[in-house]
Amino acid sequence: MGHREDLLEGAKRCLLAKGFVRTTARDIVKESGTNLASIGYHYGSKDALLARAYVEMVEGMSDAFEGGGELGGEPGSLERFAEVWSNIIGTMRDPGSMWRLSMEIVAMGDQLPKVREHLARAQREGARGIVTLFHGGSEDDVPEERVDTLGYFYLTLMMGLMAQWTFDPKSAPEAGQLAEGLRQVIEAATVPKG
């Protein structure tokens, strides 16, 4: 690997070990075996490097979200909904879960406006990708309106789950509870009143 890749891998390890705020440029250099000047040369700043490392870590979760293979259940079905959420929740159970890091980044967003801008752009692509997990198809075929509605609906659920699993994992909902809640919402919305 070259310095660029070494920095990125070192930044990922630092993020998981120390979090965003406590990771220094010197930590990254020590972890990557590079030098301070290479951070600016390859990424512009320590924060830009950490943001890139975080985005790559999130993107790397897609295999885990798919359960390491093909998803069961028909695309768009309650079964698929429960399976994907079960896989996502499985990644939140790990003691060194990157989702704790995600909560740190959300909480400090105002302090790092450039990082927030970078991550907001990446979040839009995450919304596009999560639609295909639940509904099948290719990311290239997901229209912008579907990203703006369904994609952000799923991301909102994920943010709430991250907060619950970070704050109190013992009372955080399981996938079956989420699927049952969705079933009840659908039922209430489709059963005629009166």
Side-chain angles (χ1 to χ4, degrees):
M1 286 195 293
H3 275 206
R4 182 176 181 79
E5 294 81 18
D6 291 339
L7 285 166
L8 196 56
E9 293 306 311
K12 289 175 187 178
R13 290 189 295 275
C14 287
L15 281 171
L16 289 174
K18 298 183 97 176
F20 203 100
V21 173
R22 294 183 328 194
T23 295
T24 66
R26 292 191 188 285
D27 292 331
I28 298 168
V29 166
K30 181 178 177 184
E31 188 64 36
S32 65
T34 60
N35 59 63
L36 284 172
S38 61
I39 292 174
Y41 177 77
H42 290 291
Y43 292 96
S45 71
K46 174 199 74 142
D47 288 345
L49 167 57
L50 289 174
R52 181 70 235 146
Y54 173 75
V55 167
E56 281 203 10
M57 290 166 63
V58 171
E59 288 171 349
M61 299 299 290
S62 64
D63 283 345
F65 290 177
E66 292 174 0
E70 287 297 312
L71 291 166
E74 284 295 312
S77 68
L78 280 174
E79 293 79 17
R80 172 74 67 95
F81 182 90
E83 182 181 1
V84 172
W85 283 116
S86 179
N87 295 340
I88 291 170
I89 289 169
T91 68
M92 294 179 182
R93 294 183 194 284
D94 299 334
S97 167
M98 65 163 277
W99 302 116
R100 295 182 195 288
L101 171 64
S102 297
M103 292 309 297
E104 175 193 356
I105 291 170
V106 167
M108 60 176 260
D110 288 345
Q111 299 169 30
L112 299 166
K114 289 188 192 273
V115 171
R116 183 171 50 185
E117 288 170 25
H118 180 77
L119 294 177
R121 285 190 301 274
Q123 181 177 349
R124 181 156 189 81
E125 290 314 303
R128 183 181 310 283
I130 204 166
V131 168
T132 63
L133 276 174
F134 289 99
H135 297 274
S138 165
E139 288 185 31
D140 294 336
D141 297 330
V142 178
E144 295 303 313
E145 183 240 303
R146 201 157 168 117
V147 173
D148 291 337
T149 56
L150 199 53
Y152 281 111
F153 168 76
Y154 288 126
L155 285 183
T156 300
L157 282 177
M158 186 178 294
M159 292 297 290
L161 273 175
M162 283 190 305
Q164 289 177 320
W165 275 91
T166 301
F167 181 71
D168 184 16
K170 290 179 185 147
S171 68
E174 295 291 338
Q177 292 170 291
L178 293 175
E180 176 57 21
L182 179 59
R183 188 197 63 72
Q184 290 177 28
V185 167
I186 293 167
E187 183 179 288
T190 57
V191 172
K193 304 287 186 229

